C-alpha cells in the first residue's frame, strides 16, 4: 500500500481517537473511525468529480426498471 496514505490514515485515526472521551467503548471507537473513513472517502470522490447527478441516477433507474 501507499506509505503516505497509511501515514495519513494513522494520523487521522489518532486524531479521531484523541477526540473521544476517556471512557469511550471499543464500539464507539470503531464507529467513529468507520464514520471518519466514510466521510473522507466521500470527500475524495467529490473532489475527483466522480459524482453522478440525481437526474442521471433517476434516468438509469427508470431504464433498469423498464427493461425488466
Amino acid at each position: 500500500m501507499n506509505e503516505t496514505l497509511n501515514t495519513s490514515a494513522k494520523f487521522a485515526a489518532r486524531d479521531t481517537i484523541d477526540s473521544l472521551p476517556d471512557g469511550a467503548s471499543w464500539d464507539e471507537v470503531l464507529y467513529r473511525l468507520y464514520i471518519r473513513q466514510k466521510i473522507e472517502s466521500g470527500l475524495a470522490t467529490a473532489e475527483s468529480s466522480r459524482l453522478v447527478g440525481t437526474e442521471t441516477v433517476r434516468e438509469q433507474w427508470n431504464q433498469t426498471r423498464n427493461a425488466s
Side-chain angles (χ1 to χ4, degrees), residues 7-40:
T7 303
S8 76
K10 182 178 176 179
F11 286 120
R14 277 193 185 140
D15 182 50
T16 300
I17 291 169
D18 288 343
S19 72
L20 292 168
D22 289 339
S25 68
W26 279 107
D27 288 338
E28 183 67 17
V29 170
L30 293 173
Y31 174 75
R32 293 282 181 98
L33 291 171
Y34 172 78
I35 293 300
R36 181 155 184 174
Q37 186 274 327
K38 289 297 184 183
I39 290 170
E40 290 184 6

